[in-house]
Amino acid sequence: MIRVESTPEFVAAAYLKMEERIAVARKKLGRPLSLAEKIILGHLDDPKTDDLTPGTSYLQLRPDRVAMQDATAQMALLQFMSAGLKSVAVPTTVHCDHLIQARLGADDDLKNAVVTNKEVYDFLRSVSQKYNIGFWKPGAGIIHQVVLEQYAFPGGMMIGTDSHTPNAGGLAMFASGVGGADAVDVMAGLPWEVLYPQRIGVHLKGKMSGWAAPKDIILVLLGILTVKGGTNAVIEYFGEGAAAVSATGKGTICNMGAELGATTSVFPYDSAMERYLNATERTALSDLANKHKHLLTADEEVLKSPEKYFDKVIEIDLSKLEPYVVGPHSPDAARPISELKKAAQENGWPVNLTSALIGSCTNSSYEDICRAADIADQVSAKGKKAAIQLWVTPGSEQIFQTIKRDGQMQRLEKVGATVLANACGPCIGQWRRDDMNPDQANSIISSYNRNFPGRNDGSPNTLSFLTSPEITVAYAMAGTLAFDPLNDEIPGMGFKLKAPAPAPDLPANGYIKDETGYLAPATGDVEVIVKPESDRLQKLDPFAKWDGKDYLDLPLLVKAKGKCTTDHISPAGKWLKYRGHLDNISNNMFEGAINAFDGERGVVTHPLSGEKKISISKAARDVKAAGLKWVAVGDENYGEGSSREHAAMSPRFLGCGAVITRSFARIHQSNLKKQGILPLTFQNPADYEKIQEGDKISLLGLAELSPGKPVKMIAKHANGTSDEMLLNQTLNAEQIAWFRAGSALNLLREKAK
C-alpha cells in the first residue's frame, strides 16, 4: 500500500533518487544548477534523456505526490475509475474545500454544505477509500494550507488539480497546478509530461518593515511581469531578502505565482522553513533537509552571477517596498496604495466598499491573522467597529483552533468580523450575497489571489481589489477606496492607524493539531456508487477517436474578445455543484466569454440558424446534434487562471474540434491536448482580426500532423471571400497520439487493458 504521509523514510528515498539523477544530468550539462533545475532534474523519469533545453524540451517527470480539491477531484477520479486500475501509484490526497458556500458563518455554512453535497462527499470518500487515497473532510481546511502543514517537504515535487498548488514552494517544493488528466497519469504510475520551464530569477534585497508584507512582493512582481509574463517559466527567489520572509509568507508569494502564468515558484531551503517544519511536528524532515541542503539551494556560482544562469533576473528591494493594491478585474492591474484613491476617482470606480475579506489559501497563516488582528485592535481600542462587513476565512482547522486559543479570532470579531468555514468560499465564487443586487456596480477588497469579473460572487459588476490582510482590514475600517491607510485618518474616527507590529510567524505555544479532519484509506474493498439518475455525478463515456480526415468547413461557434479565462469558459459559483456531471456543467460553457462581434457576454449568433443572442452552449449542442464539429477563437493568454479541466472537457463534450488563439495559458493548453482538442495559435497574431462572424473554418493536412509543423487554415466568410492562414502548434509525438486516439485517457485505458 502507498503511504499517503510524507514519512522520513519516503523523503530520505526521494533525496537519494535526486542525488543520483542530478549527478547524471550535471555531468551531461556541465554547468552549475539553480534550485528549480535541481528539483526538476532530480525527478526525471530518465536522467539520461537527450534533450534538456528550457523552453523547448518536453520532460517526463516523476512527482512524489498528487493533491486534489473536491471540485476538480470529481472529474479526475471519474477518469481514474474509467482507466480500470486498482490503486494509485503515488501518495495522493483529496481535500473538500471548494463546495462549502459562504453565507452566514462557519457552523451554519458547514452544516448546510454537508447536507447539500452529501452525494458528492460520499462519492469522494468512497473513491478515496477504494483507491488508497487520503481524504480530508469538509471543514478540515483549504487544500494548499493543509498540504503545507502536512505533506510538503523541501526538494519534493507535487502536482495538484488546482492552479494555486505552487503554494508549497514556501517549503522549497516544486509544486505545479495541472488538469485532472495529468493527475490521472501520475496516479496511474505514468510520468508527468511538461515543457521544460524557462528560468526567471527574482533577487530579493533588504528587509520588509512597517506596512509592507509578503503579499506586496508578488503584487509588485505581477505589475512587472503581467499575467502572462511567467508562462512556461519557474520563478525562483533568492537573496538576503528571501531569507527574511517567513515560510508561510513565502507560500503566499509562490501561491500567486499562478497569476503570472508560471509553471511554479520556489524559494531555497532556509531556517524559516526549518522552524515551520519543526512547529508542524516534522522535525525528522527538517533534520533530513539540513543534511541535504546542497539539493535544496542553488549552486553558489548561480547566486554570485545569476544573470548567467537565469533567462531573466528581476531585483526587488524590500526595504523600499510599499503596500500594493491590484485590480479591478485582473491581478496584474497593480499600483502602490498611494495611487489607489486617484485611480478610483479617475476611472469612476465605486469608491464605497461593500465588503472586505481576509483569508483564503493565499493569506490565512498565523502570521497573516496576527497582523490583521493588530489593525482591528487599534480600532476596537477606540470603541469603534468596521464600517463594512468583514469576513474572515481561516485556512485550516489547525489555524482556526490556534487563533481561537490565542485570541486573534475574538479580536477580529470584536470589530464586527464574521468567521467563515475553513474553506475557499468567496475566493472561488462560493459566496451567497444577500446584501447586493447582482446588477449593481460595487467594490470589494480582499487578501485573495484572483479578481476576474464574477470570480467572487458571480456578478461581473463587482469590482474586486486585492491586497494584504492587514491593508484589507484597514479598508474595512474606512469603508472607502478614497482612503490611504498609511497617511489618512479613518473617516469618522478621527485617528490614523499605525503600521502593524511585527507578528510572530509561528504560535509561541504551538499549533493545535487537527485530529478529526483526516480519513485514512480503507484496507478492504469499497464499493463506489454513481447513480444513473444523479444530476451531480455522471460516469464518463470515452470521446470518439479522430476519423483521420481534415476538419472541413467547421462552423465558428464563438470568437472571444480580450481576457477569456477558465472562469469565463467554465464559471464556478452555482455551477460548482455539477463538477462531477459533464453533461450538466457543459450548460455553462463560455457563459462569461465576450463575443468579439457585438460585445455581448455568453451569447452568439447561431452558426446554423442565424438566430441572434443564443447561449453559446445551446448553439454548440445544436451544431453537435447536426453531426458537426465546431471551432472557437480566442485572444491573448486564452485559458488564464484556474486549472479546471472542465474548460476543456465541456467544449470537447459539446463538439469542439480546435481552439485557435493569439496565445494560450500553460495549464489550459495542456488540458485541451489531453482531451483531444487541437490548440492552435495564429502564426501572425494579427490574423485574429480576419476572423468574421459566420465563418466556416477548414484545417488541412491533419494526417501529416507532426511536431513543429504549422497547420494550414482557410476561413470562408459569409460574403463568399476567404482568408488563408498558417497556425502554429506545440504538439509533440505523444500529444499527437492523444489527438488521434480521441484523448489521453483513451490511450491510458488501452494500456491498462
Side-chain angles (χ1 to χ4, degrees):
M1 176 178 284
I2 297 292
R3 290 291 299 274
V4 176
E5 297 81 5
S6 296
T7 63
E9 296 78 14
F10 180 84
V11 174
Y15 288 158
L16 180 61
K17 290 178 183 177
M18 285 182 68
E19 292 267 23
E20 295 170 348
R21 293 167 178 171
I22 289 172
V24 175
R26 188 187 290 276
K27 185 176 180 180
K28 180 180 177 61
L29 293 173
R31 61 170 174 78
L33 302 174
S34 69
L35 168 61
E37 287 181 305
K38 289 182 181 181
I39 303 177
I40 291 169
L41 299 174
H43 286 81
L44 283 170
D45 182 45
D46 179 6
K48 297 178 182 178
T49 185
D50 290 334
D51 195 357
L52 292 175
T53 309
T56 61
S57 305
Y58 276 93
L59 301 180
Q60 301 287 322
L61 301 174
R62 290 287 181 179
D64 297 300
R65 62 182 314 113
V66 174
M68 298 178 284
Q69 40 91 339
D70 51 354
T72 52
Q74 295 173 62
M75 197 58 70
L77 290 174
L78 285 164
Q79 291 178 83
F80 184 80
M81 288 170 59
S82 71
L85 301 170
K86 293 183 177 181
S87 174
V88 294
V90 300
T92 303
T93 51
V94 167
H95 305 257
C96 295
D97 62 358
H98 270 56
L99 299 179
I100 301 172
Q101 188 179 63
R103 186 188 182 195
L104 301 173
D107 291 341
D108 289 337
D109 292 346
L110 181 57
K111 289 176 183 176
N112 181 61
V114 169
V115 173
T116 303
N117 302 308
K118 183 179 186 304
E119 181 183 12
V120 172
Y121 291 150
D122 286 348
F123 167 74
L124 293 173
R125 181 171 51 250
S126 61
V127 174
S128 298
Q129 292 271 281
K130 181 178 182 66
Y131 293 105
N132 196 27
I133 297 169
F135 180 77
W136 286 85
K137 304 172 188 175
I142 304 174
I143 177 173
H144 311 304
Q145 181 68 30
V146 174
V147 165
L148 198 70
E149 295 169 353
Q150 303 287 339
Y151 301 117
F153 65 91
M157 177 176 284
M158 177 178 70
I159 59 170
T161 59
D162 189 281
S163 55
H164 293 105
T165 299
N167 189 81
L171 276 179
M173 192 173 204
F174 188 106
S176 187
V178 299
D182 279 331
V184 170
D185 279 352
V186 175
M187 289 191 291
L190 300 175
W192 171 44
E193 182 181 75
V194 66
L195 184 67
Y196 194 161
Q198 293 187 302
R199 301 148 296 177
I200 298 176
V202 180
H203 186 180
L204 300 182
K205 298 181 175 181
K207 187 176 181 179
M208 293 179 294
S209 62
W211 285 93
K215 184 66 163 270
D216 299 309
I217 297 173
I218 186 61
L219 298 186
V220 166
L221 192 60
L222 273 158
I224 296 170
L225 289 176
T226 77
V227 291
K228 61 179 182 178
T231 302
N232 292 321
V234 173
I235 314 295
E236 182 172 330
Y237 296 85
F238 61 94
E240 68 275 18
V245 180
S246 67
T248 51
K250 292 177 172 77
T252 292
I253 296 165
C254 293
N255 178 295
M256 280 195 69
E259 272 53 71
L260 295 164
T263 303
T264 196
S265 302
V266 66
F267 278 82
Y269 177 71
D270 59 17
S271 60
M273 297 183 191
E274 179 183 8
R275 292 196 309 274
Y276 185 78
L277 286 168
N278 294 344
T280 51
E281 301 182 15
R282 291 177 286 173
T283 303
L285 299 193
S286 66
D287 289 344
L288 279 167
N290 289 333
K291 294 175 183 176
H292 294 84
K293 279 189 176 180
H294 59 288
L295 300 177
L296 310 176
T297 55
D299 286 341
E300 196 64 35
E301 297 91 333
V302 174
L303 300 177
K304 287 180 179 178
S305 304
E307 68 282 353
K308 293 182 180 179
Y309 301 101
F310 291 102
D311 300 291
K312 180 184 294 185
V313 177
I314 296 167
E315 293 187 354
I316 299 176
D317 187 346
L318 302 188
S319 64
K320 299 178 181 178
L321 194 63
E322 179 182 351
Y324 260 55
V325 180
V326 303
H329 302 323
S330 188
D332 61 353
R335 68 190 64 78
I337 197 169
S338 56
E339 298 177 8
L340 178 60
K341 186 191 309 185
K342 180 181 177 183
Q345 293 167 344
E346 289 179 347
N347 288 281
W349 300 328
V351 294
N352 292 330
L353 292 161
T354 57
S355 274
L357 310 97
I358 65 171
S360 82
C361 68
T362 309
N363 277 113
S364 56
S365 69
Y366 188 83
E367 181 181 25
D368 288 329
I369 302 300
C370 283
R371 285 172 65 89
D374 183 290
I375 305 303
D377 289 345
Q378 296 181 46
V379 172
S380 61
K382 302 286 187 179
K384 304 291 186 178
K385 287 182 177 274
I388 57 174
Q389 180 63 64
L390 173 62
W391 305 91
V392 180
T393 305
S396 68
E397 183 66 9
Q398 181 166 289
I399 292 292
F400 176 86
Q401 293 297 340
T402 304
I403 64 173
K404 184 178 179 181
R405 178 198 66 194
D406 293 351
Q408 293 93 337
M409 189 166 72
Q410 294 86 338
R411 289 153 60 191
L412 289 163
E413 289 175 331
K414 192 172 180 179
V415 295
T418 298
V419 178
L420 296 169
N422 312 320
C424 299
C427 184
I428 51 91
Q430 284 287 58
W431 184 19
R432 180 175 170 183
R433 297 187 73 176
D434 298 324
D435 62 320
M436 292 300 302
N437 182 324
D439 295 327
Q440 181 180 347
N442 74 105
S443 296
I444 64 172
I445 194 164
S446 76
S447 67
Y448 296 168
N449 47 41
R450 206 162 268 166
N451 58 348
F452 307 137
R455 170 76 182 184
N456 303 113
D457 58 6
S459 171
N461 298 306
T462 294
L463 282 68
S464 176
F465 296 85
L466 308 176
T467 186
S468 67
E470 50 268 50
I471 293 292
T472 300
V473 174
Y475 275 103
M477 302 303 116
T480 176
L481 294 175
F483 167 65
D484 179 353
L486 280 64
N487 298 297
D488 298 346
E489 289 188 347
I490 304 174
M493 295 191 189
F495 72 95
K496 288 173 58 177
L497 292 167
K498 298 177 182 178
D505 59 340
L506 301 166
N509 296 318
Y511 290 104
I512 297 179
K513 195 171 179 65
D514 179 4
E515 302 287 356
T516 62
Y518 176 69
L519 180 66
T523 54
D525 193 30
V526 176
E527 183 181 9
V528 178
I529 299 175
V530 178
K531 299 177 182 177
E533 69 275 14
S534 173
D535 72 342
R536 297 288 301 269
L537 297 166
Q538 180 188 47
K539 287 187 176 180
L540 297 174
D541 293 323
F543 291 132
K545 294 181 179 181
W546 175 56
D547 63 8
K549 300 177 182 178
D550 284 341
Y551 289 163
L552 301 178
D553 292 333
L554 272 57
L556 172 69
L557 182 72
V558 59
K559 178 183 178 182
K561 179 182 179 181
K563 191 181 285 287
C564 191
T565 71
T566 50
D567 283 75
H568 293 80
I569 304 165
S570 181
K574 66 181 182 180
W575 294 100
L576 276 172
K577 66 181 291 187
Y578 298 124
R579 282 286 180 88
H581 198 292
L582 184 55
D583 194 359
N584 284 346
I585 199 169
S586 295
N587 289 322
N588 74 356
M589 190 186 70
F590 288 115
E591 190 177 68
I594 303 300
N595 185 338
F597 302 120
D598 59 15
E600 295 282 343
R601 185 185 299 271
V603 294
V604 291
T605 297
H606 199 295
L608 301 183
S609 71
E611 189 177 353
K612 301 288 186 181
K613 296 188 177 181
I614 301 298
S615 79
I616 301 176
S617 63
K618 170 66 167 62
R621 288 184 185 275
D622 290 347
V623 173
K624 179 183 178 182
L628 301 172
K629 293 185 182 297
W630 48 265
V631 169
V633 169
D635 212 323
E636 293 278 3
N637 207 31
Y638 179 89
E640 170 193 345
S642 169
S643 68
R644 66 192 68 162
E645 65 181 338
H646 300 76
M649 292 189 77
S650 287
R652 180 70 168 95
F653 178 72
L654 294 185
C656 181
V659 177
I660 305 166
T661 71
R662 295 190 207 250
S663 64
F664 284 99
R666 175 189 65 88
I667 299 176
H668 187 63
Q669 184 180 50
S670 177
N671 286 344
L672 291 171
K673 292 177 181 179
K674 286 279 187 178
Q675 301 305 332
I677 294 175
L678 288 175
L680 307 167
T681 55
F682 295 103
Q683 195 169 88
N684 177 7
D687 284 347
Y688 167 89
E689 304 295 347
K690 296 179 180 178
I691 303 300
Q692 301 177 20
E693 192 169 39
D695 276 359
K696 297 289 191 297
I697 291 175
S698 296
L699 302 175
L700 308 178
L702 298 185
E704 292 78 44
L705 194 63
S706 61
K709 183 178 181 180
V711 173
K712 182 179 177 180
M713 178 180 103
I714 298 175
K716 296 179 182 177
H717 309 309
N719 62 7
T721 64
S722 65
D723 279 297
E724 186 175 307
M725 312 168 203
L726 285 179
L727 308 175
N728 292 333
Q729 49 86 12
T730 60
L731 295 146
N732 61 24
E734 183 177 9
Q735 293 164 351
I736 291 170
W738 298 343
F739 165 68
R740 290 171 175 161
S743 71
L745 183 60
N746 286 355
L747 278 186
L748 176 59
R749 189 181 292 110
E750 289 302 313
K751 290 178 182 178
K753 288 180 181 178

